[in-house]
Amino acid sequence: MEERGAKCYLGFMLFTVNLLSPIEYEARSFDFADVEALEIGQELCLLCKHGYDDVIFTLTPLWSGWREAWSAEEKALIEAGQPVAHREGYELAIPGGRYTLLQTIPAEDWTALRKECYQLAGTSAQGEVYVRFIKEGPLECVMQLLIPAP
């Protein structure tokens, strides 16, 4: 990812990022308990549709996936701005492109995730949000919300 800019929104830092190549995932069911079970470098990802049902903000999961940690070779390619080779069985992806990103602590349930997504999506009528849970260290896990930027 390449950082393009940042702004403060509701006390959070929002970033505009450019994904130079897709981030691929293997299809896997999702449960919030799985987030803490991740090993360092592993990720879980959800693609959700967001919108309004009359006046209530809704969040509907479309797919969920998992990815193994980046290898040393893949990390070197990413740092050099090069695309990473497709992994066999990884058929889901966050496509390359521009995104608004919010990084925060992981949501513990669907209610908390909906609240975080609402803060990012705001009043947009509908759209999609990618939710990445990334295990960064033995005790550190983060959640990234990515919404396609206009």
Side-chain angles (χ1 to χ4, degrees), residues 78-99:
I78 292 167
E79 290 171 1
Q82 300 297 315
V84 176
H86 171 72
R87 289 181 177 179
E88 191 65 36
Y90 283 54
E91 302 302 327
L92 305 172
I94 301 174
R98 289 186 70 219
Y99 294 88

Side-chain angles (χ1 to χ4, degrees), residues 114-132:
R114 191 179 74 200
K115 180 181 175 185
E116 294 291 339
C117 290
Y118 174 74
Q119 291 183 58
L120 183 59
T123 58
S124 62
Q126 62 181 359
E128 293 181 338
V129 58
Y130 293 92
V131 183
R132 294 175 73 196

